[in-house]
Each structure stands twice: as structure tokens, then as C-alpha cells.
Amino acid sequence: MTFTLLLSGISILSACSDPMVQEMENYQEQMDDLHDINEEVTGHLDDIDSEEIINQVSSMDSASGEDEFDNTAAELEGEALPLAETLKEEAEAVEISEEEIQEMHEGFIESAETKHDFTKQLSDYLITYQDSLAASERLIALSQSFMENQGERDDLIENAGDEEVVREIDMLIEQLNENSEELDAASDVLEDDISMGNKQEQIDEVLLPMLEEHVESLNMVNLSTQQANRVRSVSLEMYYGYQAYYEERKNTMLYNEKLQNIQLQNILSLQESYQKMDEEYWERMEELKDGE
């Protein structure tokens, strides 16, 4: 009788434990591919050196880390992000009936979502940061071009010897001075303490149309001498450079405002968050497999 009762007890225990065992087996089968994707995503993200990114951004040295930032941003956007999106979507689609396994899996989903957020936010930040550096470099190049054109124009004016050349260049100088006064007054607004939107509006609605008018005003001056025509040509190149300069100023404003609104440290802290979640998930997985 005792033996019969013992067998019955074992049967009851087996019957109680079988659903959990079966559910864990089903869960692991569903998760095999997802675990592989998770490992691949994590491989991309764990290689990111958060401290190096902070140091690079703080130093504002565009030359020393430009290639590294480009490579990291490209890897995040082109490889890690599609995988992270797949991981998140498929993790949310896993069906589980046992409450304990469901609770454990919620941790996996949260980790997948955190990886996705980390990947997307850091990719966006690095791309914007690189765009900002590139725009600043283009502004510097345009400024250098202005100075070169200004130097050539000054030389042409200084070396004007023929009376007709002098007369025509004087006409150009009069028009250039008038244009310059208008442009200086309009561009000073960009240095005022006003919103970025107002500055962009000043560029779009005042400065760029003004430069178009300045180009027209120079083209309307009647010239016959080669030297005066060269002065006009160089001046027109400067106006086209101004147009490119102010377009780039708008881009720089956008990039800088976006960077100011992003807390890099908060993005990078997500790396430690998902690592902790993963550790807790695998610990709980082992516990449930062992029947704890």
C-alpha cells in the first residue's frame, strides 16, 4: 500500500511539473532563432566604446575620429538597426501560457526594446554630429573662398590704369558698396538673440532674395572692358558663395539645435541597461530550466 501511495505521489508531482517543462521546451524552441538574432545585435552594440564617443564629442576634433564615427554610424544604421527592429517585433509576437515564463520573457522584450532605442538614438546622434561637423567645414571653406575672391578683386581694382577701366570699375564699386550696406544690415539680424525659426526666416525671406537682387543689379551695369568684366565676374562668384553660405548656415542651425536637445549621456546609459536586463534574463532562464 505504501509503495502504491508513493507511486501515486510521484505521478501527481509529474503531472504538476510536466506543463512547465513542456512550456519551457516550447519556449526555447520558439526562441532559438531569436536568441541568435539577439546575440548578433548585442555583438554590434557591445563593441561600441561609450567613453571614446564622449571624449571625441567633448574634444570637438573633427579629424581624429571622423572615420570612426562614420563607420560606427553606418554599422548602426545599416546592420544593427534592422536586426534590432526584427528582434523587437518577433519577441513581442512570441506566445506563452505559463505566467512565470511570460514574466521572464517580458524582460527579454524590454531588453530588445532598449537595444532598439539605443541603436536608433545613437545612430541619429552620430549622423547629426557628423553632419554638423561637415557643415561647419563647408562654412570655413566658403569663408576662405570669399577671402580669395576679395583679394583677387582688390588686385584688379588696384591695378586699373586705363581711364575707361577706372570709370567702369568705379560704377561697379558704387553698386557693390550699396549692396554691401544692405547685406550687412540684413545679416546683422542673425547675431541677435532671436529664435532659430526667426533666423531661418530672415535667411529665406530677406537675405537670399536680396542676394538675387544684388546679382541682377551687377548684371545690369553696362561694361565693355575686360578688366571691369573680370571684377564683376569675381563679385558674382562672391554673391553665389554668399548664397551657399547662408543655406549652410540654416543647416548648421538645425544640426546644432537637434544636438542640443539630445542628451548623449542618456543614450549611452542604455547600453548598461540592456546588458543588465540580459544578465537577469539568462539567470532566470537557468532557474526555470532547473525547476526553481
Side-chain angles (χ1 to χ4, degrees):
M1 180 177 180
T2 302
F3 181 69
T4 303
L5 288 173
L6 181 60
L7 285 176
S8 299
I10 292 172
S11 298
I12 292 170
L13 288 172
S14 298
C16 291
S17 62
D18 280 349
M20 176 63 80
V21 171
Q22 185 61 49
E23 186 67 19
M24 274 300 295
E25 290 177 355
N26 292 339
Y27 176 73
Q28 287 178 273
E29 286 179 9
Q30 290 186 79
M31 293 297 292
D32 277 345
D33 290 340
L34 270 181
H35 285 159
D36 289 340
I37 296 173
N38 182 57
E39 185 176 355
E40 192 172 353
V41 173
T42 305
H44 285 292
L45 304 186
D46 282 353
D47 286 341
I48 294 171
D49 189 337
S50 297
E51 290 296 326
E52 180 59 30
I53 289 176
I54 292 174
N55 291 338
Q56 176 61 35
V57 171
S58 300
S59 70
M60 294 298 292
D61 183 358
S62 61
S64 65
E66 189 170 356
D67 289 343
E68 183 178 349
F69 270 29
D70 280 341
N71 293 338
T72 301
E75 181 181 347
L76 287 172
E77 185 177 38
E79 299 178 41
L81 187 57
L83 286 170
E85 289 173 347
T86 299
L87 180 67
K88 183 170 75 78
E89 291 170 3
E90 295 192 8
E92 291 169 349
V94 173
E95 296 181 357
I96 304 165
S97 58
E98 289 289 342
E99 184 176 346
E100 286 186 276
I101 299 176
Q102 180 61 46
E103 289 177 0
M104 176 189 69
H105 186 66
E106 289 295 333
F108 184 89
I109 293 174
E110 187 177 1
S111 173
E113 290 173 345
T114 303
K115 290 185 179 81
H116 179 269
D117 291 344
F118 176 66
T119 305
K120 189 172 190 317
Q121 291 177 31
L122 185 56
S123 174
D124 287 346
Y125 182 90
L126 293 180
I127 290 171
T128 303
Y129 179 78
Q130 290 296 84
D131 286 342
S132 175
L133 290 180
S136 296
E137 290 171 358
R138 286 192 292 271
L139 287 176
I140 293 172
L142 285 167
S143 298
Q144 181 63 36
S145 177
F146 297 154
M147 289 187 289
E148 291 172 358
N149 286 331
Q150 181 71 57
E152 181 181 353
R153 190 173 69 181
D154 290 346
D155 288 341
L156 288 167
I157 293 172
E158 185 178 346
N159 294 320
D162 183 272
E163 184 176 338
E164 182 62 16
V165 171
V166 171
R167 187 187 69 80
E168 290 187 348
I169 287 180
D170 283 344
M171 286 194 302
L172 283 173
I173 290 174
E174 184 179 354
Q175 185 63 58
L176 287 168
N177 287 339
E178 182 182 332
N179 292 349
S180 182
E181 288 177 8
E182 288 184 350
L183 187 60
D184 287 345
S187 62
D188 283 345
V189 176
L190 300 181
E191 307 308 319
D192 293 343
D193 186 16
I194 58 176
S195 70
M196 184 192 73
N198 287 336
K199 290 182 179 181
Q200 290 180 318
E201 184 177 323
Q202 179 71 4
I203 291 173
D204 285 331
E205 298 184 8
V206 178
L207 285 164
L208 293 178
M210 180 182 291
L211 286 167
E212 288 288 349
E213 292 173 2
H214 290 176
V215 167
E216 291 179 11
S217 70
L218 280 189
N219 282 325
M220 289 175 64
V221 178
N222 290 322
L223 302 174
S224 61
T225 64
Q226 182 177 356
Q227 200 166 353
N229 272 296
R230 181 56 188 160
V231 171
R232 174 163 59 188
S233 178
V234 173
S235 299
L236 288 172
E237 286 180 28
M238 294 175 69
Y239 283 140
Y240 297 140
Y242 286 140
Q243 290 173 328
Y245 178 86
Y246 287 117
E247 289 286 0
E248 206 63 71
R249 278 286 296 272
K250 287 196 304 178
N251 293 334
T252 303
M253 291 177 199
L254 287 171
Y255 299 143
N256 289 342
E257 183 181 56
K258 185 174 180 180
L259 290 174
Q260 287 172 4
N261 292 332
I262 298 174
Q263 297 297 321
L264 178 60
Q265 190 64 58
N266 291 346
I267 297 174
L268 296 176
S269 68
L270 295 175
Q271 188 180 48
E272 185 176 343
S273 296
Y274 78 69
Q275 288 170 344
K276 184 177 180 181
M277 292 174 196
D278 282 354
E279 184 179 342
E280 293 173 351
Y281 170 78
W282 289 110
E283 286 178 358
R284 186 57 182 147
M285 174 78 84
E286 289 303 314
E287 289 173 357
L288 289 180
K289 283 168 63 177
D290 294 339
E292 298 180 16

